[in-house]
């Protein structure tokens, strides 16, 4: 007869995705700073786009290796590799050897330009640390979340969040802080979905390709300035300044992408059509809205809440826009007292 295995260690957490106003693009290659960002980034945490994740370590019991269930199906092998990397660090910190079962679900469709890796790895970091009995303050989790995905470390805080890239930190450490909480300045993110195809070149590859662009240095200096301007615009609730800085900043990131070798062109004709529509709504219509675009063709349109219904209607009328998702400013991740995905 086999002995009863030790009790399972289990916890569940949920976290919101985020949209960056100043984007992170490009990572350092050399240790001890390998993987650290080349420029500071600033994002807004999203309330409506959430991942819920349960992590269960079973000392002495099945599974034999880490297992991942994503949206009720076995997760893709490349996602499991990244999940295991985070779990390995949790096991190292906690002195654990047990494999874990990770059950994760997004409440928003994937491949719509809302980053499920940001919310996913923030929720994973919190749930895994809690299950293993490790400290769970956001600062304790930033390196764990970053191990899975860079932008995930910004999802460890609610509201508006700065991920710093300045030197003088402890080598290899990730530095993230909240600028202000979500209720300081509620903004809206309307995502104009023009394609649901998964991107051809994942951001992990793109971050290394950035070095091959002749425009990287110019972009980095522009992004550092943009981070200062955007942080102040958030503190001042100055939407006009935010709009200008955010659009210029996303265009400079895409200039680096387009001039990398090989070149990364994430836009579609419909992407440009939405950008034109946003510009004309703002410049001719006086409607407070501005665009920002991640590593994909879908366009995030940031707006003041009172303008959101009209912006949404206008975006839905642009030919090629399949759907417009609606998100507001959200809080930080939280542990779920009981339950979790599928319970
Ligand atoms: O976190 P990653 O490795 O998926 O990179 C995110 C890159 C951008 O979404 C384009 C920008 C950002 O800062 O979120």
């Amino acid at each position: 007869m086999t002995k009863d295995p030790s009790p399972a260690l289990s916890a569940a957490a949920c976290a919101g995705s985020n949209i960056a106003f100043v984007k992170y693009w490009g990572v350092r290659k050399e240790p001890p700073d390998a993987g650290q960002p080349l420029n500071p980034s600033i994002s807004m945490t999203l309330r409506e786009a959430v991942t819920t994740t349960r992590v269960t370590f079973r000392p002495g019991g099945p599974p034999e290796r880490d297992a991942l269930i994503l949206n009720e199906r076995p997760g893709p092998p490349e996602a499991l590799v990244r999940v295991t990397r985070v779990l390995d660090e949790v096991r190292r910190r906690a002195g654990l050897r047990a494999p874990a079962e990770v059950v994760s679900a997004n409440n928003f469709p994937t491949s719509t330009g809302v980053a499920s890796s940001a919310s996913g790895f923030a929720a994973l970091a919190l749930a895994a640390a809690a299950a293993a009995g490790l400290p769970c303050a956001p600062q304790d989790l930033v390196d764990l979340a970053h191990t899975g995905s860079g932008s995930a470390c910004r999802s460890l805080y609610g509201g508006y969040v700065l991920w710093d890239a300045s030197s003088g930190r402890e080598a290899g450490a990730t530095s993230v802080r909240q600028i202000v909480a979500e209720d300081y300045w509620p903004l809206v993110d309307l995502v104009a979905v023009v394609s649901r195809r998964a991107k051809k070149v994942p951001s992990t590859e793109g971050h290394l390709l950035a070095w091959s662009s002749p425009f990287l240095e110019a972009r980095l200096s522009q992004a550092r300035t943009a981070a200062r301007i955007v942080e102040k615009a958030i503190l001042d609730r100055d939407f006009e300044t935010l709009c200008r800085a955010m659009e210029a900043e996303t265009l400079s990131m895409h200039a680096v992408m387009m001039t990398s070798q090989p070149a990364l062109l994430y836009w579609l004709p419909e992407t440009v059509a939405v950008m034109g529509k946003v510009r004309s709504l703002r410049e001719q219509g006086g409607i407070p809205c501005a665009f920002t675009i991640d590593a994909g063709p879908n366009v995030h349109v940031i707006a003041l809440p009172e303008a959101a219904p009209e912006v949404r209607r206008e975006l839905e009328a642009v030919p090629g826009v399949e759907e417009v998702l609606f998100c507001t400013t959200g809080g930080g991740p939280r542990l779920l007292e009981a339950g979790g995905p599928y319970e």
Side-chain angles (χ1 to χ4, degrees):
M1 241 175 91
T2 48
K3 247 176 65 186
D4 257 4
S6 322
L9 306 167
S10 187
C14 66
S17 184
N18 68 73
I19 178 67
F21 296 169
V22 178
K23 314 262 190 212
Y24 136 67
W25 196 250
V27 292
R28 294 183 201 283
K29 291 180 175 175
E30 307 299 331
D33 271 339
Q36 291 297 324
L38 296 177
N39 67 281
S41 56
I42 294 182
S43 60
M44 166 175 125
T45 301
L46 302 178
R47 183 185 303 278
E48 287 78 6
V50 170
T51 302
T52 303
T53 299
R54 173 169 288 282
V55 175
T56 307
F57 293 101
R58 289 187 214 279
E64 281 167 9
R65 272 181 283 163
D66 295 331
L68 172 66
I69 303 292
L70 199 53
N71 297 322
E72 301 188 328
R73 292 168 177 208
E78 60 279 9
L80 179 58
V81 168
R82 290 161 82 186
V83 164
T84 291
R85 224 178 281 149
V86 176
L87 295 171
D88 281 345
E89 176 57 15
V90 170
R91 283 185 280 256
R92 191 191 66 76
R93 290 184 190 183
L96 263 177
R97 292 173 58 121
E101 183 189 55
V102 176
V103 181
S104 189
N106 302 322
N107 74 342
F108 56 99
T110 43
S111 299
T112 47
V114 177
S116 54
S117 59
S119 49
F121 284 105
L124 176 70
L126 177 54
L134 292 171
C136 287
Q139 274 314 326
D140 301 314
L141 303 176
V142 285
D143 288 316
L144 279 179
H146 182 198
T147 301
S149 152
S151 52
C153 63
R154 295 188 310 241
S155 273
L156 293 170
Y157 293 86
Y160 299 89
V161 184
L162 170 73
W163 178 17
D164 207 351
S166 48
S167 54
R169 296 169 297 101
E170 192 191 321
T174 308
S175 151
V176 188
R177 70 174 162 87
Q178 184 182 64
I179 299 171
V180 282
E182 59 276 20
D183 49 3
Y184 183 85
W185 195 24
L187 292 177
V188 169
D189 176 16
L190 296 152
V191 192
V193 179
V194 300
S195 168
R196 292 172 203 280
R197 292 224 180 112
K199 54 187 165 220
K200 283 197 204 106
V201 179
S203 40
T204 35
E205 272 173 52
H207 289 302
L208 294 169
L209 286 179
W211 289 95
S212 63
S213 164
F215 298 146
L216 180 67
E217 272 312 315
R219 143 94 184 144
L220 292 179
S221 107
Q222 186 266 5
R224 285 178 201 121
T225 308
R228 283 195 295 275
I229 294 172
V230 166
E231 181 174 10
K232 184 168 184 319
I234 291 169
L235 289 168
D236 294 345
R237 299 186 184 91
D238 176 353
F239 193 72
E240 228 181 279
T241 302
L242 173 67
C243 287
R244 257 183 281 118
M246 187 176 69
E247 285 193 358
E249 141 49 41
T250 204
L251 292 172
S252 94
M253 179 185 74
H254 281 272
V256 166
M257 293 165 157
M258 288 175 197
T259 50
S260 297
Q261 289 161 21
L264 302 176
L265 179 55
Y266 286 110
W267 298 353
L268 293 173
E270 294 78 10
T271 311
V272 181
V274 173
M275 292 157 77
K277 169 56 81 179
V278 171
R279 283 258 164 108
S280 82
L281 285 174
R282 187 171 73 243
E283 286 164 10
Q284 274 97 58
I287 299 169
C289 61
F291 62 77
T292 182
I293 306 165
D294 282 344
N298 300 319
V299 184
H300 291 253
V301 182
I302 308 301
L304 290 176
E306 56 271 27
E310 186 173 1
V311 174
R312 184 174 203 165
R313 264 196 313 278
E314 293 282 352
L315 293 176
E316 280 169 348
V318 176
V321 171
E322 294 173 12
E323 187 187 0
V324 176
L325 307 174
F326 178 90
C327 291
T328 56
T329 324
R334 53 195 179 81
L335 279 170
L336 304 177
E337 291 202 347
Y342 319 135
E343 284 188 2

